[in-house]
Amino acid sequence: MQIPSNLYIWQHLDKQESYDDCITTSNLIEKWYQQICKKSISVGVEEKVIIETKEHIVDVLDRMGRLYVPRSILELGETGLDYLIWADMIVVDGSRVGFTHQSILDYFISIRMMQQYLEGKSIEEIIGEKILESDDIRYYVKFVFYVILGQIAQPDENIKEFVREACKHDVYSDYLLNNVIYGNHTYVTILREFGILQKWFEDEKRKNNVFVLLRSIGKDLNEEDIAFIKEYSFKNEEDDRNFVNCFSHDITQEKDEVFELRMLFYYRYPELAQELYIDMKSMMKNCEVRTIRLISFWLKNKIKSKGRTIYHYEEELIYESNLFLIENGGYVLDELLQYIPKGNSWEIQYSDWSGTDVYKHSIERATVELIKKANKAVINQNSELFWVYYEPYMGKNYTIFNEIILHGLRFLPSSYSNRVISYLSNDLDKNIFDYTSGADEQLEMAIEVLKVHTALCEVTYLRTFENAIERYVSPSA
């Protein structure tokens, strides 16, 4: 009886079958028992005999409250018993007979309980009114009964009524919460539909149960759950903060309605967004607009990262070889360009917006890299839009904008080569230097632009650029 039951059962299961759906000991026992019954025919024993033998042994053990009984008091033939002994489900210890592990007996007892309940017997009739408080009833029997209850995909009216009645009693409801309802959206819905969640929320002693249950189904919150949360939101800050904790940590998986509710809480309590952890690259691949809205919110409210524990900025984000593409380039620019600082001060050049410190990871720097990728998307869709977006910032010597503009110019098609070279020639000091990308040389990005467009522009524009180079004198000279 000391053999770990799961390991023991695994050793006896048919290795040819799949067990992906076996997530509990009860699942394993049921699977093994089915295989034992199925194989009995191959050795000349009727499945009916096996079932009757097992039922009789369970009945006697349950009635006597023992793990073993004398073999002499069992009223059954030898065929079924010998087969179950051979199959290693039953063990004989001297003159005593019992199951090879206590959990097997407890499982079969629990199955009987559930069958009796479905037949209309009350819970008190089946297991006694004081069972949950009694030390004489093995915990596993109680536990398995509730686990089986939780595995019923579509509870009928009898089960729903049992849940409602059980929730009136502290002992019953605690067992139900821990072993049936927690993480089970079907049963949480039953509580909501019966008004139990509402009643608990209005009871300070039980209110936490509501938050615990909503948190347990955070990934599966539906419209009705959202309506429930909205009904009790924005009346008490502590409650609001607990509601936010009910949402899934994986924003990519939550429904649009849940995300919109999340944002309502963030608008009311912006500091709560600091606790959000995101994998930016993954989010941009799976929910681009949602990610940009969050970034815009962080920037608008000046919410700073507490290191890499809050925002997850993938280093690959800055590499051109990274192939994740932005689909809504215009939307990204509309949302994020407004936050790019205008100016060329020393403070901007060495701020969180700058990439000069390769070890600095900030929401601001990630924004710059996302804008660069958005520029490529915009150019691919409509090159003229790039010029429309950035012309107001060209020639202004805005440090961060210069980096962004220079990066985008090299992706413009040949039809823009004359315009690009003309722009660079107009004011070399304001247009060709990059101070914030982190490149080894300040002219590195301009050189990449020139490689593309000097080969494609008309000769007159090329000559104009060459003349500008010849006349250029650095202001610091």
Side-chain angles (χ1 to χ4, degrees):
M1 299 292 287
Q2 300 303 314
I3 302 173
S5 59
N6 282 18
L7 176 60
Y8 183 80
I9 297 168
W10 275 113
Q11 292 172 339
H12 290 80
L13 289 171
D14 189 339
K15 302 300 186 293
Q16 304 302 316
E17 290 194 27
S18 171
Y19 303 98
D20 293 342
D21 57 342
C22 292
I23 58 176
T24 67
T25 300
S26 301
N27 298 148
L28 293 175
I29 295 172
E30 179 62 24
K31 199 76 160 181
W32 183 31
Y33 178 60
Q34 291 174 357
Q35 292 177 3
I36 288 174
C37 290
K38 185 177 180 180
K39 292 177 181 177
S40 66
I41 301 175
S42 64
V43 295
V45 181
E46 292 184 14
E47 184 174 336
K48 177 182 177 182
V49 173
I50 302 304
I51 295 173
E52 291 175 348
T53 301
K54 183 267 294 181
E55 287 293 330
H56 180 66
I57 296 173
V58 170
D59 182 63
V60 174
L61 291 172
D62 187 26
R63 190 170 64 250
M64 297 182 68
R66 297 180 180 179
L67 300 177
Y68 290 96
V69 294
R71 182 167 182 169
S72 59
I73 71 170
L74 295 175
E75 300 176 358
L76 46 77
E78 297 294 318
T79 303
L81 180 61
D82 288 344
Y83 176 74
L84 289 175
I85 294 172
W86 173 82
D88 289 331
M89 180 167 275
I90 295 292
V91 64
V92 176
D93 181 10
S95 62
R96 303 185 307 162
V97 173
F99 285 90
T100 50
H101 198 277
Q102 176 180 317
S103 62
I104 301 173
L105 171 61
D106 290 341
Y107 168 71
F108 287 130
I109 291 175
S110 300
I111 288 292
R112 285 158 58 91
M113 291 178 182
M114 182 57 63
Q115 290 172 340
Q116 290 169 341
Y117 183 77
L118 295 176
E119 290 169 0
K121 288 188 177 182
S122 69
I123 192 69
E124 290 81 5
E125 289 179 292
I126 300 169
I127 54 180
E129 187 174 357
K130 301 297 183 181
I131 181 172
L132 299 180
E133 300 172 334
S134 173
D135 294 331
D136 296 330
I137 305 299
R138 291 190 303 277
Y139 172 77
Y140 192 82
V141 175
K142 306 173 190 176
F143 174 75
V144 172
F145 176 80
Y146 283 105
V147 168
I148 294 171
L149 190 66
Q151 291 176 349
I152 298 176
Q154 296 180 322
D156 61 16
E157 292 305 314
N158 289 331
I159 293 177
K160 291 180 180 179
E161 186 60 31
F162 165 65
V163 170
R164 179 164 66 173
E165 289 300 314
C167 284
K168 295 179 180 179
H169 307 285
D170 289 345
V171 178
Y172 278 175
S173 63
D174 287 344
Y175 265 78
L176 277 172
L177 287 177
N178 293 329
N179 301 309
V180 179
I181 304 174
Y182 184 85
N184 191 321
H185 197 277
T186 298
Y187 280 93
V188 174
T189 299
I190 291 173
L191 296 190
R192 177 168 44 72
E193 291 177 345
F194 278 138
I196 295 172
L197 286 187
Q198 292 85 333
K199 186 177 296 184
W200 283 354
F201 193 86
E202 294 165 3
D203 180 349
E204 287 299 324
K205 295 181 180 179
R206 308 299 299 272
K207 180 185 288 188
N208 190 58
N209 287 344
V210 178
F211 295 125
V212 169
L213 292 177
L214 290 175
R215 194 177 304 126
S216 75
I217 60 169
K219 292 183 178 180
D220 302 310
L221 292 172
N222 59 26
E223 291 182 8
E224 289 75 18
D225 301 320
I226 296 304
F228 172 84
I229 294 174
K230 284 183 176 180
E231 181 180 352
Y232 293 97
S233 296
F234 308 115
K235 300 173 182 178
N236 178 292
E237 182 173 342
E238 182 179 354
D239 290 343
D240 290 346
R241 291 175 180 273
N242 282 323
F243 277 132
V244 172
N245 288 332
C246 294
F247 300 147
S248 170
H249 293 296
D250 187 353
I251 296 182
T252 63
Q253 298 300 315
E254 67 187 19
K255 297 180 177 66
D256 288 340
E257 296 84 359
V258 179
F259 179 75
E260 294 301 330
L261 180 58
R262 176 195 291 276
M263 293 306 296
L264 287 178
F265 281 113
Y266 286 168
Y267 294 144
R268 178 68 66 90
Y269 311 103
E271 69 278 7
L272 290 181
Q274 276 191 322
E275 306 306 319
L276 190 61
Y277 175 89
I278 71 168
D279 180 332
M280 186 174 292
K281 189 173 72 170
S282 174
M283 284 191 62
M284 286 300 295
K285 286 182 177 179
N286 296 293
C287 48
E288 182 176 295
V289 171
R290 190 177 293 183
T291 308
I292 298 305
R293 283 184 62 188
L294 275 172
I295 293 173
S296 180
F297 176 82
W298 284 323
L299 292 171
K300 180 179 181 179
N301 290 278
K302 297 180 171 56
I303 294 175
K304 294 292 184 181
S305 166
K306 298 177 181 177
R308 294 181 65 83
T309 58
I310 304 301
Y311 311 115
H312 186 184
Y313 305 125
E314 296 284 355
E315 284 84 353
E316 294 90 339
L317 191 68
I318 67 174
Y319 297 142
E320 291 300 328
S321 58
N322 182 352
L323 296 181
F324 94 79
L325 302 176
I326 287 180
E327 295 182 2
N328 302 283
Y331 177 76
V332 174
L333 299 185
D334 289 337
E335 282 290 318
L336 302 184
L337 278 181
Q338 60 185 308
Y339 302 109
I340 301 298
K342 302 176 183 67
N344 61 347
S345 67
W346 179 89
E347 288 81 5
I348 293 176
Q349 188 171 332
Y350 293 95
S351 68
D352 286 339
W353 292 97
S354 173
T356 52
D357 183 351
V358 295
Y359 298 104
K360 181 186 292 184
H361 301 281
S362 68
I363 191 68
E364 291 83 3
R365 192 59 204 169
T367 299
V368 172
E369 302 303 336
L370 287 173
I371 287 174
K372 290 179 181 179
K373 291 183 179 294
N375 287 339
K376 293 173 66 175
V378 167
I379 290 170
N380 286 336
Q381 294 166 2
N382 184 346
S383 301
E384 186 60 25
L385 279 179
F386 174 84
W387 213 269
V388 171
Y389 274 110
Y390 290 101
E391 191 169 27
Y393 311 108
M394 290 179 173
K396 300 294 181 63
N397 200 24
Y398 294 158
T399 307
I400 306 299
F401 272 105
N402 275 2
E403 174 195 342
I404 294 171
I405 293 169
L406 282 170
H407 178 272
L409 290 177
R410 60 179 160 142
F411 299 108
L412 288 169
S414 59
S415 58
Y416 284 81
S417 294
N418 290 343
R419 202 188 304 187
V420 169
I421 298 303
S422 177
Y423 161 68
L424 295 179
S425 305
N426 188 50
D427 191 328
L428 297 181
D429 197 54
K430 292 182 178 179
N431 299 338
I432 69 171
F433 292 101
D434 156 44
Y435 300 103
T436 56
S437 71
D440 293 334
E441 300 293 338
Q442 295 173 352
L443 289 173
E444 188 173 313
M445 295 183 75
I447 290 172
E448 292 300 317
V449 175
L450 293 170
K451 285 180 180 178
V452 174
H453 293 292
T454 55
L456 300 170
C457 71
E458 295 176 9
V459 175
T460 55
Y461 288 91
L462 180 58
R463 294 285 161 74
T464 300
F465 179 74
E466 291 172 344
N467 291 335
I469 293 291
E470 291 174 0
R471 295 195 307 268
Y472 176 72
V473 177
S474 172
S476 60

